[in-house]
Amino acid sequence: MEAQEDLQVDLKPETLLEMYWLMVLSRRLDERTWVLHRQGKIAFHISSIGHEAAQVGAAMALRRGQDWVVPYYRDLAMMLALGFTPKEFMLGVMGKKGEPNSGARQMPSHWSIRRLNIVSHSSVVATQAPHASGIALAIKMRGDDAVVLTSIGEGSTAQGEWYEAVNWAAIHRLPVVFMVENNLYAISVRQERQMAVEQVADKAAGLGLPGVTVDGLDAPVVHRAITEAVSRARSGGGPTIVETMVHRMTPHSSDDDDRSYRTREELEALKAQDPLHLQRDKLMDMGVLSQDAEREVQERAKREVEEAVDFATRAPYPEVSEASYPVYAEDRIDD
Ligand SMILES: Cc1ncc(C[n+]2csc(CCOP(=O)(O)OP(=O)(O)O)c2C)c(N)n1
Ligand SMILES: [Mg+2]
C-alpha cells in the first residue's frame, strides 16, 4: 500500500462532515436492517459495514447523475452518497411496491436507479465489469465526457469476466475506473486462496493499466485516489484499478455464520479499526466535529432510519397482476 499523508486537511470542513454524515447514515440503516432480519421481518441482508469510508470517498469523486455507476451488492454507503434514499432502500429490503431498483423483483441490494445512472447488476459476481467497459465504450464513441465507476470484491476479480473487461478497457483506453473493495474474504475463502499475488492492484501490470492500493478505512484517501483515476479517464488517459483495503465487519450476508471460518479475536481486531470511529476521532481532533454536532448527526440518522422503516412497513406489496410487467411485452401472444 502506498504511504498516505493525512489528506483530511485538503478537503473543506463541510465536505468532511458530509462524508462523515453519509457514513453514519449508512451504518445506522445497515444495523437496523440486521435487526429487522433477526426479527424475521425481512428475508435477506448483505452489509456495507466496514466498507463505508471507501464507498463514500469514491462516490463523492463522481458527478452525481452524469457519470455512470455499475456497483455491486455491498455498496449501500456508495448508493446513499449518490443520492439513493433510506426510504428507497427499505422498500427494497421489504420487497414493497414502488421499490425503485426492480419493482421488488430482484434480491435486495441489487441497485438500479435510472435518475442516478446506476445500472442494474446480476447476482453472478463480476458480470458488472463487462457492462462497465461496454458503457465506457459507448461514452467514448459518442464523445461524451462522462466516466464509469464499477466496484467489485477482491474475490470476484478472479472471475474471467473481470479480466476480459479490464483488458478490453486498457486496450481501448476506455473512461472507466475499476474500484476493488478488498476485505480479504470471499464469503469464507481467504484472499490467499483466491489469488497468488499480494494485491489486486498487482494484476494491473499484466493488463497494461495503472493500479493503486489505498487505505479504504480513510474516506479522503479514497476520494483522492478515485478523483485521480476519474480525471485520467475523463481526459482520455484510460482506465485505472483502485484497490481499497477495507474491513468486512459482519458475516458475508444474513445467510452466513462466520464463526465457522474466522476467530472472534480476528473480528475484534477489525472492529477496533472501525472506519466510522477513525473518521469521527480525526474530525474531532481537527475541531471540525464537536460533541454536540456528533450527537445531532447520530440523532438525525436514527430519525431518518426510523422514518424509512415506518414508511416501508406501511407501504403495500406489489399487486400480483404486476408480477410479469415489464418482464414480458404487454401484447404477448398467449398460446
Ligand atoms: C460466478 C459466481 N460464483 C459464486 C457466487 C457466490 N458468491 C456470491 S458473493 C461471493 C463472494 C464474493 O467475494 P468478494 O468478491 O471478495 O466480495 P465481498 O462479498 O467480499 O465484498 C460468492 C462466491 C456468485 N454469486 N457468482
Ligand atoms: Mg471480499
Side-chain angles (χ1 to χ4, degrees):
M1 195 152 54
E2 286 178 351
Q4 302 290 345
E5 73 271 36
D6 193 347
L7 297 174
Q8 313 275 337
V9 283
D10 286 356
L11 294 170
K12 290 191 195 128
E14 354 15 317
T15 309
L16 293 169
L17 286 172
E18 176 69 4
M19 282 177 169
Y20 181 60
W21 156 248
L22 290 163
M23 289 167 64
V24 171
L25 179 64
S26 183
R27 178 68 62 92
R28 299 286 91 90
L29 191 59
D30 207 314
E31 289 171 341
R32 187 70 175 87
T33 311
W34 280 99
V35 171
L36 289 172
H37 181 268
R38 297 311 193 224
Q39 290 174 329
K41 293 183 176 167
I42 60 166
F44 180 79
H45 180 48
I46 192 153
S47 188
S48 171
I49 293 181
H51 288 227
E52 295 100 335
Q55 295 177 10
V56 168
M60 288 180 68
L62 298 173
R63 293 184 313 194
R64 194 198 263 198
Q66 292 177 48
D67 292 325
W68 291 77
V69 183
V70 196
Y72 85 123
Y73 49 77
R74 209 173 286 293
D75 283 331
L76 172 59
M78 185 188 291
M79 294 303 103
L80 295 171
L82 289 168
F84 188 57
T85 70
K87 285 181 180 160
E88 290 175 318
F89 174 71
M90 274 297 157
L91 287 175
V93 286
M94 293 188 191
K96 293 293 185 79
K97 191 178 170 87
E99 187 281 309
N101 296 294
S102 67
R105 291 174 179 77
Q106 261 278 35
M107 286 179 77
S109 301
H110 285 56
W111 328 104
S112 173
I113 309 290
R114 231 178 239 227
R115 69 174 191 278
L116 301 172
N117 283 357
I118 296 167
V119 180
S120 180
H121 57 105
S122 163
S123 295
V124 180
V125 298
T127 50
Q128 72 272 29
H131 292 161
S133 292
I135 296 166
L137 177 65
I139 289 169
K140 189 174 176 181
M141 289 170 74
R142 287 178 180 168
D144 293 347
D145 75 342
V147 302
V148 186
L149 179 119
T150 186
S151 54
I152 195 165
E154 84 297 334
S156 304
T157 69
Q159 288 285 123
E161 284 91 341
W162 189 77
Y163 289 100
E164 292 177 35
V166 178
N167 183 50
W168 205 58
I171 293 167
H172 298 288
R173 295 174 84 81
L174 300 180
V176 49
V177 179
F178 295 99
M179 175 181 179
V180 180
E181 298 178 34
N182 186 344
N183 57 20
L184 300 182
Y185 281 92
I187 310 184
S188 57
V189 180
R190 284 275 307 186
Q191 158 167 327
E192 300 75 38
R193 306 296 296 275
Q194 305 164 23
M195 59 198 200
V197 285
E198 252 179 52
Q199 301 290 164
V200 175
D202 295 340
K203 301 181 184 188
L207 292 160
L209 76 166
V212 291
T213 304
V214 297
D215 181 359
L217 305 181
D218 192 328
V221 165
V222 175
H223 184 263
R224 180 155 92 176
I226 299 283
T227 299
E228 285 172 4
V230 163
S231 75
R232 180 177 307 114
R234 222 186 285 291
S235 59
T240 309
I241 297 171
V242 180
E243 178 184 23
T244 60
M245 300 306 296
V246 293
H247 289 165
R248 196 193 85 198
M249 288 163 50
T250 63
H252 171 72
S253 75
S254 56
D255 290 346
D256 178 39
D257 181 354
D258 63 348
R259 286 174 299 185
S260 63
Y261 57 84
R262 64 175 175 180
T263 64
R264 295 307 85 184
E265 292 73 37
E266 181 184 336
L267 189 60
E268 288 315 312
L270 291 185
K271 287 186 176 172
Q273 293 289 305
D274 182 327
L276 220 66
H277 298 163
L278 295 173
Q279 187 76 4
R280 179 198 61 200
D281 294 349
K282 271 190 186 166
L283 295 188
M284 284 195 168
D285 286 349
M286 289 169 72
V288 168
L289 183 70
S290 64
Q291 294 284 357
D292 282 351
E294 160 67 0
R295 233 185 334 270
E296 272 168 36
V297 163
Q298 297 293 346
E299 277 165 18
R300 184 178 154 207
K302 199 170 161 213
R303 203 168 50 241
E304 288 198 18
V305 169
E306 287 316 312
E307 280 169 13
V309 173
D310 286 350
F311 172 79
T313 303
R314 280 186 278 103
Y317 287 102
E319 309 293 331
V320 173
S321 59
E322 292 171 47
S324 62
Y325 175 81
V327 178
Y328 300 104
E330 291 266 282
D331 55 351
R332 67 186 186 277
I333 299 164
D334 296 315
D335 4 57

